Amino acid sequence: MPDRATVDQLSCGSSAAAAPFPSGGSPGLQVTDLLMTAERMMPALSRCIASRDWLDAFLLSAGLLQLVEDRMHDDPLQLRRAAVYLRSRSSPPRHWAGTLAETAATGGRLLERPSTTAALTAARRATARLTLQLAAAVQGPRHRVDRAGIDRMLTGVVQVPTLVGDDVVRIPACFRDFDLHPDDMDWLGRKLLAERVLEAEPTCVVGVRTSGSYLAPLLVASLRARGVRHVELLTHRPGQRWRRFERNVLRAIGSAGGTVVIVDDPPVTGRSVAATADAVTAAGVPAARVVLALPLAAETDTVPPFLRGRPSVVQPRSALTVHRHLDTDHVAGELARLRPRWRVDACRRRAEPTGPAPRGHLSGRYSVDVTDRVTGRPERIDLVVEGAGSGYLGRRAVAVAEQLPDWVPQVFGFSDGLLYRAGLPQLPGPVDEATYADRVAGYLAARRTRLPAAEDLTPRLSGRGPAWEVVARELSRLFGPLAPVAQATVVGPLVSALLRSPRPSVVDGATMSRTWYTDPSRPGAVLTVDFHEGAFSHLETYSYDPVSDLAAALGTAPSATLARRLRASYSRFTGDEVDDERWLLYRLAQAFHALRAGEVDPARAGDLCADAVHEYLAGHYLAAAPPPTSGAPLCAVDLDGVLETDRLGYPAAGPAGVLALAALRTHGYAPVLATGRSLGDVRDRCAAFGLVGGVAEYGAAVYDARDGTVEDLRSTEERLLLERVRSGLGQAGYDVDTRHRYCVRARLNGRRLPEDAVLAVPLLTDPRLHVVHGQSQTDVTVGRLDKAEGLRALALRLDGAEVVLAVGDSAADLPMLSMARIARAPHNADAAVRAAGVRLTRRAYRLGLLDACADLLGHAPGRCPACRPPSAAERAGAILTLLALHDGGVRTVPAQSLRVAVRGARDIVDSLRGRQPPAYRGGRVDHRPLRG
């Protein structure tokens, strides 16, 4: 077992040492941080070759090959990525911009120094030769392994670290997230020959990077071992252009009538594989001679629809090697080898393999009877055998478990890509929030101490989905068509600075409540079973900050009290405060992660993001605002187009809107909501902003936030009528929003219903109903109810308070505007409001709400000592400026963009001078909405 110093060195990301396996079994490289540079990989590769650890040596060599080939097709400014995005848009200006970006990327390659090109080509050739030799060694007895030749070849790759610099290796999903085994490529090689698709030589195997950098050499080795003499190796990342030597290889294959085989990990849509096949065809190989060789995640032999019609040879999931390794006899034999002190008397499978899980792993659960050879004591073991990854990519689970013995189940060993660990029962019922918060915080504190990282590598992962890039991409939506430019030049650097971890460590990546279990053998212990799954998976938003795990622990149904408890517990265990900006940004990143992992739908992901934004704004503007008193005058505010916009891709408030609510509360008024949105939205906004209540779904439902009661203003007959409409629209094929329960909201392909919808649902013409056509939906409401009726009912519940101010922007707001002492509409109001003679504010949207409040208060919100917002730290000022981009619609975008750009420029200048960027300092700025 490695001593503490060795383990700490490995935990810091140094992969230069091989640690012996802790619980028996063959030795192997053991690391906790899988993101490595070539400089760290080279010593590990040398040691693995010296110890004849062929699998780990192959994985490291294939990683070096991937680094070299990515550097050969480098796109440091993400110009090709921007070109693909822009040219996929329908507008001519964007298409022209995409063409310009593509031209610039091509021009950048022409400026490359010939000596650099030659050095990269030579390094690529040497690394590919070494990788192919190691692939042959991995596949075993069928191959003649030239060990002396491998040692000589190693000297040819020593220049790779110098050529690729600080580039970080990409982790192959095939051998990390899916249960592929090197033998599976041999299976595909046999099938390719058995189906006689390679009768005409020469042959070229093209791997779709990243997984293809690992799978293609194994397939080449298999074909060569079975007599296919002329087999070339290439890889391709969709969207790249072929280098000259690659194009020459493909042209030669096409001219000779040979075959190109494309290999990748199990496809989901198949778009990447199809893009590579099209690129091969464009290089001169006939489509009929391009064959797909793919393992599948399904039991069928059918490729995804996007790949159908292309020649293919597939390996169904049932044929994967992992199934043999999960066989009961194999498991019993491996457990006996991993734990020599045990005699395995019986092994029974308790459950069939589950999966594929979201990350593709299979598992099996077994009841094993063992006898201790020393004491003679019999014992029954609840054993779980689950996929973890091949070689050091999977053995990482053991490295992590060694450092966290008090937080993870007992680990028996690792073999053939499978982790052998103790099974645990589920938690006995729900756990209270305080206990859960302490459990998570204690675990993350232990990880931070025992699994430190040498450095935070995420700033180098542009284009690969680190947490900062995911959040920057989402926030860049505020810039509309200029989003890619804004992300690269302003928003990305800003968010990266805000999320820079002061004390980086290897995160868990899967801390949600469903991963925690009890251990009967350790009273009071609560353990996590996904300690090795989340981090470094293809679904992860990369981070080295434990706060990202803390945000993930909120789950997909967060509560404000749990959020506070998690942050408080983390601060108590670590001594570090979780600032509001990091908390907001990581919550946004986790919402995207949940969407990508299929845990939530887009609507729910938007709700999670809106909750995070609202909690952040409320903490800044509303913390000091007193709650409304009983009988306080009411100020009715519409949501869409007044308090909230959807520029982020989901409806959310902005700084100016929340400042307006704070000013009203400070001066003794009670802001309430009056909207056509769902009761759930009203309830969430009341909780976030401390409102006393609201009117939902066009006056059909009244919500009293003081006691959480809901009043349904519809009659029984009207409720039954709306249910018939709901059923009719659903049967007619329209999308009916299940969140609206007191009116009916429906769409057709994300748009409002067509005029002929009444032909399918004649009930829409019933005179008791009112149909409201919005921009992206159609609402069906009770004709006699409106926002004014709802406000009257709410006012009665709130001790008969008077409605002194109403702010709305659409025809549905006219009844409530007519009942208020002061009625205002922001400058973006629709034609019906303008025609009714409602007084318009000078500015639009949330700034218009500020103007309306100024007419009531006698001064602009935030401009008097009582309602002036607190000065913001530099970090907060950066976020507030960004969120305020559309507070007044497109008119405020230039000025706010200039503010954001100035902050970004200051960050860059300070970074060049070696100072912390302003976004990370503790200075304070005055942040109030623009006057103009």
Side-chain angles (χ1 to χ4, degrees):
M1 185 170 182
D3 60 28
R4 173 65 58 183
T6 302
V7 170
D8 287 346
Q9 181 189 30
L10 291 171
S11 299
C12 289
S14 173
S15 304
F21 198 76
S23 305
S26 58
L29 184 65
Q30 192 168 299
V31 298
T32 59
D33 188 352
L34 298 182
L35 293 179
M36 295 183 286
T37 62
E39 183 179 2
R40 292 179 179 174
M41 295 168 70
M42 279 300 302
L45 175 60
S46 299
R47 294 183 184 222
C48 289
I49 289 177
S51 63
R52 301 314 189 223
D53 181 359
W54 299 128
L55 178 55
D56 284 342
F58 164 75
L59 293 172
L60 290 165
S61 181
L64 292 175
L65 177 62
Q66 173 254 302
L67 285 173
V68 171
E69 295 195 311
D70 272 344
R71 178 53 69 97
M72 293 178 72
H73 301 89
D74 205 7
D75 185 17
L77 298 179
Q78 301 293 306
L79 291 173
R80 295 197 187 281
R81 189 177 182 187
V84 171
Y85 170 82
L86 291 168
R87 294 175 75 173
S88 67
R89 308 293 105 176
S90 57
S91 68
R94 295 184 187 183
H95 188 81
W96 296 334
T99 302
L100 180 62
E102 177 71 25
T103 303
T106 303
R109 177 181 289 186
L110 295 176
L111 297 176
E112 192 177 80
R113 294 169 57 183
S115 58
T116 301
T117 302
L120 282 170
T121 303
R124 187 265 170 196
R125 185 183 305 112
T127 311
R129 289 181 59 206
L130 175 62
T131 303
L132 287 170
Q133 281 294 317
L134 292 170
V138 166
Q139 291 190 340
R142 290 180 301 277
H143 304 265
R144 187 172 63 86
V145 179
D146 183 1
R147 298 190 176 187
I150 289 176
D151 292 334
R152 289 193 302 271
M153 290 177 190
L154 182 61
T155 63
V157 302
V158 294
Q159 77 275 26
V160 169
T162 302
L163 292 172
V164 301
D166 59 0
D167 290 356
V168 180
V169 70
R170 293 175 183 258
I171 300 167
C174 58
F175 292 140
R176 170 69 183 94
D177 299 306
F178 303 109
D179 294 315
L180 293 187
H181 188 277
D183 286 351
D184 293 321
M185 290 300 100
D186 193 49
W187 190 98
L188 279 172
R190 294 198 310 271
K191 191 169 184 182
L192 282 166
L193 295 173
E195 296 193 4
R196 309 178 69 86
V197 297
L198 299 181
E199 289 185 331
E201 295 191 33
T203 300
C204 179
V205 177
V206 178
V208 182
R209 288 204 304 275
T210 296
S211 288
S213 297
Y214 297 76
L215 299 176
L218 291 166
L219 185 54
V220 170
S222 175
L223 294 176
R224 287 181 175 176
R226 286 176 167 76
V228 182
R229 293 171 297 173
H230 304 294
V231 189
E232 298 286 345
L233 170 67
L234 294 177
T235 67
H236 177 266
R237 192 172 298 287
Q240 78 173 41
R241 287 180 177 269
W242 298 108
R243 284 278 186 170
R244 179 179 299 175
F245 82 90
E246 295 169 325
R247 192 178 299 108
N248 289 342
V249 168
L250 294 173
R251 285 176 178 170
I253 296 288
S255 299
T259 304
V260 172
V261 179
I262 297 176
V263 64
D264 196 11
D265 51 32
V268 178
T269 64
R271 292 182 183 276
S272 296
V273 176
T276 296
D278 292 341
V280 169
T281 302
V285 180
R289 303 304 304 164
V290 179
V291 180
L292 312 180
L294 300 170
L296 299 179
E299 294 291 355
T300 66
D301 292 343
T302 306
V303 296
F306 208 75
L307 298 177
R308 289 174 189 168
R310 300 176 185 265
S312 61
V313 172
V314 298
Q315 180 182 21
R317 178 167 160 256
S318 58
L320 294 178
T321 304
V322 66
H323 289 287
R324 296 202 310 271
H325 295 159
L326 287 170
D327 179 75
T328 302
D329 291 339
H330 184 90
V331 167
E334 285 302 295
L335 183 62
R337 184 179 66 83
L338 293 170
R339 310 291 286 195
R341 183 167 170 167
W342 284 351
R343 185 184 73 236
V344 177
D345 300 319
C347 180
R348 297 170 295 276
R349 187 190 292 271
R350 291 181 53 185
E352 288 301 311
T354 59
R359 288 175 293 275
H361 285 310
L362 294 169
S363 66
R365 193 158 188 160
Y366 307 81
S367 178
V368 186
D369 294 330
V370 301
T371 300
D372 190 305
R373 296 181 186 274
V374 176
T375 65
R377 183 170 64 89
E379 185 178 359
R380 176 162 292 177
I381 304 297
D382 183 5
L383 175 68
V384 171
V385 182
E386 59 189 2
S390 292
Y392 78 90
L393 300 172
R395 201 177 297 111
R396 170 187 175 274
V398 179
V400 172
E402 279 190 324
Q403 299 304 301
L404 301 167
D406 298 332
W407 297 94
V408 304
Q410 183 181 8
V411 170
F412 303 127
F414 173 85
S415 175
D416 290 323
L418 298 171
L419 182 70
Y420 287 62
R421 65 165 177 84
L424 299 175
Q426 282 277 13
L427 285 174
V431 178
D432 66 274
E433 288 186 348
T435 302
Y436 176 65
D438 283 348
R439 178 198 315 146
V440 171
Y443 172 62
L444 297 183
R447 289 188 69 97
R448 195 178 77 156
T449 300
R450 302 174 193 177
L451 299 175
E455 63 176 312
D456 185 346
L457 296 174
T458 54
R460 306 183 196 174
L461 303 182
S462 180
R464 294 165 59 176
W468 66 263
E469 185 178 51
V470 167
V471 178
R473 181 171 63 246
E474 296 304 303
L475 293 178
S476 295
R477 290 184 175 194
L478 292 166
F479 292 85
L482 296 178
V485 176
Q487 179 183 339
T489 60
V490 178
V491 184
L494 172 65
V495 175
S496 180
L498 289 170
L499 293 185
R500 191 169 299 157
S501 177
R503 187 175 171 180
S505 62
V506 179
V507 302
D508 180 292
T511 52
M512 58 287 296
S513 59
R514 59 179 170 79
T515 68
W516 296 92
Y517 290 71
T518 56
D519 185 354
S521 66
R522 289 184 262 181
V526 182
L527 312 178
T528 176
V529 298
D530 276 2
F531 60 94
H532 64 96
E533 287 276 15
F536 310 113
S537 83
H538 69 296
L539 295 176
E540 186 198 9
T541 50
Y542 289 114
S543 172
Y544 281 86
D545 190 343
V547 178
S548 65
D549 279 338
L550 197 69
L554 269 177
T556 57
S559 71
T561 56
L562 177 58
R564 288 193 295 269
R565 282 174 169 148
L566 283 169
R567 294 173 69 177
S569 295
Y570 183 81
S571 298
R572 189 170 69 253
F573 276 94
T574 65
D576 291 346
E577 294 293 326
V578 180
D579 61 83
D580 293 338
E581 288 67 44
R582 268 199 303 168
W583 186 243
L584 165 66
L585 297 176
Y586 279 127
R587 286 189 64 182
L588 296 178
Q590 290 300 332
F592 172 82
H593 177 272
L595 175 63
R596 188 180 178 195
E599 297 172 4
V600 295
D601 59 21
R604 181 57 187 157
D607 289 342
L608 293 173
C609 290
D611 289 344
V613 171
H614 293 162
E615 179 186 299
Y616 177 79
L617 294 175
H620 183 74
Y621 290 106
L622 290 165
T629 59
S630 178
L634 302 183
C635 299
V637 179
D638 185 24
L639 279 180
D640 293 317
V642 179
L643 183 63
E644 298 187 359
T645 62
D646 61 356
R647 298 296 302 188
L648 284 166
Y650 48 85
V658 183
L659 174 61
L661 299 179
L664 291 173
R665 280 176 46 180
T666 300
H667 288 285
Y669 296 98
V672 296
L673 301 176
T675 178
R677 296 256 289 278
S678 70
L679 174 65
D681 284 351
V682 170
R683 184 185 288 114
D684 290 344
R685 273 54 174 179
C686 287
F689 301 135
L691 307 182
V692 293
V695 175
E697 306 192 30
Y698 299 99
V702 173
Y703 175 64
D704 187 343
R706 298 173 305 173
D707 57 10
T709 58
V710 178
E711 182 178 358
D712 187 349
L713 299 185
R714 304 170 302 167
S715 67
T716 301
E717 181 183 357
E718 289 164 342
R719 286 196 292 270
L720 294 174
L721 177 61
L722 283 174
E723 286 305 313
R724 290 166 57 198
V725 172
R726 187 188 310 276
S727 176
L729 288 170
Q731 292 175 3
Y734 297 115
D735 300 321
V736 180
D737 191 334
T738 57
R739 294 179 298 179
H740 280 68
R741 297 162 46 201
Y742 298 86
C743 71
V744 180
R745 173 163 289 187
R747 299 179 178 86
L748 180 62
N749 300 324
R751 300 178 181 274
R752 65 185 189 179
L753 301 187
E755 297 296 333
D756 61 0
V758 295
L759 299 177
V761 186
L763 274 176
L764 293 176
T765 61
D766 192 300
R768 293 170 292 176
L769 299 177
H770 178 55
V771 179
V772 182
H773 290 291
Q775 292 183 345
S776 60
Q777 79 283 329
T778 294
D779 296 318
V780 185
T781 69
V782 175
R784 70 175 183 85
L785 296 177
D786 54 36
K787 294 183 181 181
E789 287 296 319
L791 281 173
R792 291 188 187 97
L794 180 62
L796 288 176
R797 298 180 67 89
L798 300 176
D799 304 318
E802 177 191 6
V803 179
V804 296
L805 173 68
V807 187
D809 68 333
S810 67
D813 297 313
L814 290 175
M816 80 166 182
L817 292 172
S818 66
M819 69 178 292
R821 176 152 46 98
I822 298 176
R824 295 291 183 268
H827 207 75
N828 55 287
D830 66 15
V833 174
R834 293 171 181 267
V838 178
R839 182 174 169 181
L840 300 182
T841 61
R842 181 169 58 90
R843 297 179 295 183
Y845 298 101
R846 294 183 282 258
L847 293 185
L849 175 60
L850 283 180
D851 292 340
C853 293
D855 291 341
L856 173 67
L857 302 176
H859 66 274
R863 300 294 175 180
C864 83
C867 63
R868 180 176 294 119
S871 60
E874 287 273 7
R875 299 170 62 82
I879 292 296
L880 292 172
T881 302
L882 191 58
L883 293 177
L885 201 67
H886 278 272
D887 267 351
V890 295
R891 290 187 177 184
T892 57
V893 171
Q896 289 295 97
S897 297
L898 182 60
R899 282 186 174 185
V900 176
V902 168
R903 290 183 183 276
R906 289 166 58 193
D907 286 1
I908 293 171
V909 170
D910 277 7
S911 178
L912 292 175
R913 292 178 178 177
R915 301 199 307 239
Q916 277 188 323
Y920 207 71
R921 292 201 299 259
R924 307 193 73 78
V925 297
D926 179 37
H927 181 82
R928 284 176 287 185
L930 294 172
R931 291 180 181 271

